[in-house]
Amino acid sequence: MEETLAEQILSRVCSIHLCCSVHTHTRRQMHYLSPLSVYPDVSLHRQQSLPHRPTIPMVARIADQNTSGTPAMTEREASRLDKFRQVLAGPNTDLEELRKLSWSGIPRQVRPITWKLLSGYLPANTERRESTLQRKRQEYFGFIEQYYDSRNDEHHQDTYRQIHIDIPRTNPLIPLFQQASVQEIFERILFIWAIRHPASGYVQGINDLVTPFFVVYVFEYIKEEVENFDVSSLQEETLRNIEADSFWCMSKLLDGIQDNYTFAQPGIQRKVKALEELVSRIDETVHVHMQQYEVEYLQFAFRWMNNLLMRELPLRCTIRLWDTYQAEPEGFSHFHLYVCAAFLVRWRKEILDERDFQGLMILLQNLPTMHWGNEEVSVLLAEAYRLKFAFADAPNHYKR
């Protein structure tokens, strides 16, 4: 019997957004899975655009506290927003104070300007911001004019083809990302980044890293929900601004973790090894349990590093997580390690309940976070901070 559309969507909630489990029953005897066999189902699934729907699965909803679609602000939330506005209002923004405020979450109303400041895209000096935006936006579209027509050249065809394949798979349950104009924006951003960074070029996973910036910068211009928002209703200049700002902020992020994506991805290899060493110290029982059933950290944590946990968490949670990453020194590289450790140990009961390789792999690649929101992310971040404080400077622990 053929599956109904509802059944197909339900299936994809479990298998695509949370990244489908590798077919572990065929690999149970394998001691090692290559990163490409774990990281995503490149040839297994071809995504089809979902029809425009007024409601979408919980896993794909972006609305949460500090994001959109929430009731009237509490007194505490209003007070926090006022503090942000005070810091942002001065002629020279105190970036250190802004980081302190941002660590525990940024209100939606000021998130776009705050992200641009914390990423280093905008200067702290208020008077210089508009000229900086104009210059950087013009520079980006200069790259488009210079490079984008070369996407069909023989030496760029493979890069563009892979980007073109990956874009429809980016957040496939959210109608926003299935719009042709949005996919074209992502293709341009990723192709230009790849051309300008030949040491790494385009690597699968980088496509995910555009989406939080794009969503946040769309929020700068709209008040309604973003999941079903038709971007063609925005003015062309507005869309161009969102595209350029997303490109530059993604580039700033990748500048700090580019060794994750160079040949053989040495940055990821080191971080996965560091995660293994850290977990062995903070929860030896979990570490030994995984060793007992021959689960290697690279088999599940490669994706955690490659995609910054974006395949493990709903997009609303990633946006909240990135508030803190922007506020933390080396948030996307060094602090992310402690978040991954806290994330793994968060599931210690479920991990210890699994008694074979297959069960552990299915669990670790399909962790049940679809209903997570800001509260769960805040608890995760608090635990990560505790681990960093306890272990970052320990003499016998992993050193960067």
Side-chain angles (χ1 to χ4, degrees):
M1 181 182 297
E2 293 186 357
E3 287 183 313
T4 66
L5 178 59
E7 289 170 335
Q8 291 172 3
I9 292 174
L10 181 61
S11 172
R12 293 195 185 286
V13 168
C14 297
S15 66
I16 298 173
H17 185 83
L18 300 175
C19 253
C20 72
S21 64
V22 180
H23 298 278
T24 50
H25 60 281
T26 64
R27 295 180 168 88
R28 187 173 179 181
Q29 302 305 318
M30 291 178 63
H31 185 66
Y32 170 78
L33 295 179
S34 72
L36 285 179
S37 68
V38 176
Y39 171 75
D41 37 324
V42 173
S43 62
L44 298 180
H45 299 286
R46 285 194 174 275
Q47 285 302 327
Q48 295 180 346
S49 297
L50 294 176
H52 186 80
R53 294 166 57 85
T55 59
I56 56 177
M58 178 64 188
V59 69
R61 291 181 195 161
I62 301 172
D64 194 52
Q65 310 100 301
N66 297 343
T67 306
S68 67
T70 54
M73 282 191 295
T74 65
E75 186 175 336
R76 180 178 177 276
E77 289 167 342
S79 174
R80 273 182 55 75
L81 177 58
D82 186 55
K83 288 179 181 177
F84 271 91
R85 284 178 168 155
Q86 287 178 25
V87 172
L88 294 167
N92 284 285
T93 300
D94 184 338
L95 294 180
E96 192 56 39
E97 185 63 27
L98 189 62
R99 287 190 185 94
K100 288 178 184 176
L101 280 174
S102 300
W103 205 98
S104 54
I106 304 170
R108 170 189 162 169
Q109 297 90 328
V110 293
R111 184 177 272 130
I113 181 68
T114 302
W115 275 26
K116 289 172 188 174
L117 285 163
L118 294 183
S119 70
Y121 176 45
L122 281 186
N125 183 274
T126 308
E127 291 183 357
R128 291 176 49 218
R129 286 179 197 164
E130 191 56 40
S131 61
T132 299
L133 282 175
Q134 290 181 7
R135 176 172 54 83
K136 298 301 284 185
R137 288 164 177 172
Q138 289 173 1
E139 187 177 354
Y140 170 71
F141 283 100
F143 295 151
I144 296 291
E145 291 179 15
Q146 183 177 357
Y147 298 118
Y148 197 58
D149 284 344
S150 71
R151 64 191 182 280
N152 294 314
D153 292 355
E154 186 175 351
H155 56 296
H156 291 152
Q157 275 183 351
D158 288 345
T159 295
Y160 180 71
R161 186 182 301 115
Q162 190 60 61
I163 291 170
H164 189 72
I165 289 171
D166 288 346
I167 293 303
R169 299 172 176 163
T170 306
N171 295 290
L173 293 172
I174 302 178
L176 172 73
F177 297 111
Q178 301 309 307
Q179 296 174 38
S181 55
V182 173
Q183 294 187 0
E184 289 165 7
I185 287 171
F186 277 44
E187 285 183 6
R188 287 193 294 269
I189 288 173
L190 293 169
F191 183 76
I192 295 304
W193 189 88
I195 292 300
R196 298 190 70 247
H197 295 82
S200 58
Y202 174 73
V203 176
Q204 287 178 309
I206 294 177
N207 55 304
D208 288 325
L209 305 184
V210 185
T211 56
F213 293 115
F214 184 79
V215 166
V216 167
Y217 297 148
V218 168
F219 275 145
E220 191 169 5
Y221 300 95
I222 70 171
K223 287 185 168 57
E224 59 264 49
E225 298 293 344
V226 72
E227 295 94 334
N228 288 300
F229 181 74
D230 180 4
V231 298
S232 65
S233 63
L234 293 172
Q235 294 182 354
E236 182 180 354
E237 183 182 0
T238 296
L239 265 182
R240 286 168 63 89
N241 292 345
I242 292 168
E243 177 175 345
D245 295 349
S246 298
F247 169 81
W248 285 115
C249 289
M250 185 198 76
S251 297
K252 290 282 188 182
L253 185 165
L254 286 168
D255 284 348
I257 57 171
Q258 194 172 347
D259 64 347
N260 282 11
Y261 305 105
T262 53
F263 179 73
Q265 300 184 262
I268 290 178
Q269 304 282 344
R270 286 195 300 272
K271 286 166 187 169
V272 170
K273 183 64 177 173
L275 176 66
E276 181 175 359
E277 292 176 5
L278 179 56
V279 173
S280 73
R281 292 177 181 273
I282 65 176
D283 198 324
E284 186 179 9
T285 303
V286 166
H287 179 70
V288 170
H289 184 76
M290 292 200 292
Q291 281 187 322
Q292 179 181 351
Y293 295 105
E294 299 187 330
V295 173
E296 295 191 10
Y297 283 72
L298 198 65
Q299 293 168 330
F300 63 90
F302 178 90
R303 192 172 74 196
W304 295 11
M305 303 300 177
N306 193 61
N307 302 82
L308 297 178
L309 287 176
M310 287 192 65
R311 296 292 176 100
E312 323 310 316
L313 300 171
L315 182 53
R316 60 182 174 273
C317 294
T318 294
I319 291 171
R320 167 62 191 91
L321 190 68
W322 283 21
D323 288 346
T324 299
Y325 281 7
Q326 299 268 18
E328 266 285 320
E330 300 181 348
F332 291 98
S333 53
H334 186 53
F335 188 62
H336 180 66
L337 168 67
Y338 295 94
V339 172
C340 287
F343 186 64
L344 180 63
V345 175
R346 158 70 177 75
W347 308 102
R348 82 181 308 272
K349 179 183 182 301
E350 291 85 349
I351 289 170
L352 297 178
D353 283 345
E354 295 294 341
R355 296 292 176 175
D356 59 30
F357 175 87
Q358 177 181 340
L360 279 165
M361 289 304 298
I362 290 174
L363 170 69
L364 290 167
Q365 293 178 9
N366 294 277
L367 291 165
T369 62
M370 68 176 64
H371 293 288
W372 274 33
N374 282 359
E375 186 176 345
E376 289 81 2
V377 175
S378 295
V379 171
L380 179 70
L381 287 165
E383 177 61 13
Y385 185 80
R386 187 190 71 79
L387 293 176
K388 179 190 172 188
F389 185 80
F391 289 94
D393 300 318
N396 295 323
H397 180 52
Y398 157 75
K399 291 285 189 183
R400 282 176 296 139

